[in-house]
């Protein structure tokens, strides 16, 4: 997928999570989490700019998702030191959003024939549902539209319930 497709899948994946945050009385987590999801949505594609690392290699794995989650947890510790607040909550939030952001990217790329080596280094198998090519402009815009609609629907529900 291209950037717009990754944004759409990230929004789609995060919409129910953001809604849950709002319903739990944590709208700030919904906003920050949504922004972080969009920021992380293309992080695995940094492999295009790193010599010696193949595209859809180590940065397109569950191991990388957990690594980014660990970095997010560290950010939660840092935020607790600066802003105060509940350390456990911020660490869990950072880990969850970091991991989920990368998993959303993997899901989007798994829609393409090339797939992703999600279980690397345990397995070299690529996982794919062969739905569309990554360079399909229409598919990327449809994914973006679906993600925006899911986010809008979650926002509508949050307003009705809250």
């Amino acid at each position: 997928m291209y950037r717009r497709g990754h944004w759409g899948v990230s929004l789609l994946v995060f919409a129910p999570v953001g809604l849950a945050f709002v319903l739990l009385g944590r709208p700030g987590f919904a906003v920050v989490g949504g922004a972080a999801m969009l920021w992380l949505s293309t992080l695995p594609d940094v492999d295009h700019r790193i010599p010696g690392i193949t595209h859809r290699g180590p940065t397109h794995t569950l191991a990388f998702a957990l690594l980014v989650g660990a970095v997010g947890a560290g950010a939660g510790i840092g935020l607790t030191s600066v802003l105060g607040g509940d350390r456990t909550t911020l660490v869990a939030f950072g880990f969850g959003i970091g991991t989920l952001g990368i998993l959303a990217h993997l899901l989007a790329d798994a829609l393409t024939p090339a797939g992703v080596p999600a279980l690397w280094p345990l397995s070299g198998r690529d996982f794919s549902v062969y739905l569309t090519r990554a360079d399909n402009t229409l598919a990327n815009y449809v994914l973006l539209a679906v993600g925006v609609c899911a986010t809008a629907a979650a926002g509508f529900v949050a307003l009705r319930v809250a």
Side-chain angles (χ1 to χ4, degrees), residues 80-161:
T80 304
S81 300
V82 173
L83 302 175
D86 180 29
R87 176 180 236 157
T88 303
T89 300
L90 288 174
V91 167
F93 176 74
F95 180 80
I97 295 300
T99 303
L100 189 62
I102 303 306
L103 291 177
H105 183 100
L106 300 183
L107 174 62
D109 280 352
L111 298 175
T112 70
V116 293
L119 297 178
W120 179 91
L122 302 175
S123 168
R125 179 175 180 254
D126 287 330
F127 293 87
S128 171
V129 294
Y130 296 87
L131 185 64
T132 183
R133 290 172 39 110
D135 63 355
N136 183 326
T137 302
L138 179 61
N140 279 277
Y141 276 104
V142 166
L143 286 172
L144 178 59
V146 169
V148 168
C149 288
T151 302
F156 177 77
V157 170
L159 289 174
R160 299 286 291 170
V161 173

Side-chain angles (χ1 to χ4, degrees), residues 4 9 16 18 23 26 35 37 70 108-109 117 127 148 152 156:
R4 286 174 182 83
V9 172
L23 296 178
R26 305 302 290 259
M37 288 288 293
D109 280 352
F127 293 87
V148 168
F156 177 77

Side-chain angles (χ1 to χ4, degrees), residues 14-27 29-30 154 157-158:
F14 187 71
V17 176
L19 175 60
F21 281 133
V22 171
L23 296 178
L24 291 171
R26 305 302 290 259
F29 279 22
V157 170

Side-chain angles (χ1 to χ4, degrees), residues 1-3 5-11 13 37-48 55-57 59-61 64-65 97-112 115-117 127 134 143:
M1 284 293 120
Y2 286 3
R3 183 175 305 145
H6 283 298
W7 289 340
V9 172
S10 289
L11 290 171
V13 167
M37 288 288 293
L38 289 173
W39 182 72
L40 291 169
S41 68
T42 58
L43 179 62
D45 288 337
V46 72
D47 59 9
H48 283 292
H55 180 53
R56 293 196 185 186
T59 62
H60 285 70
T61 64
F64 185 71
I97 295 300
T99 303
L100 189 62
I102 303 306
L103 291 177
H105 183 100
L106 300 183
L107 174 62
D109 280 352
L111 298 175
T112 70
V116 293
F127 293 87
L143 286 172

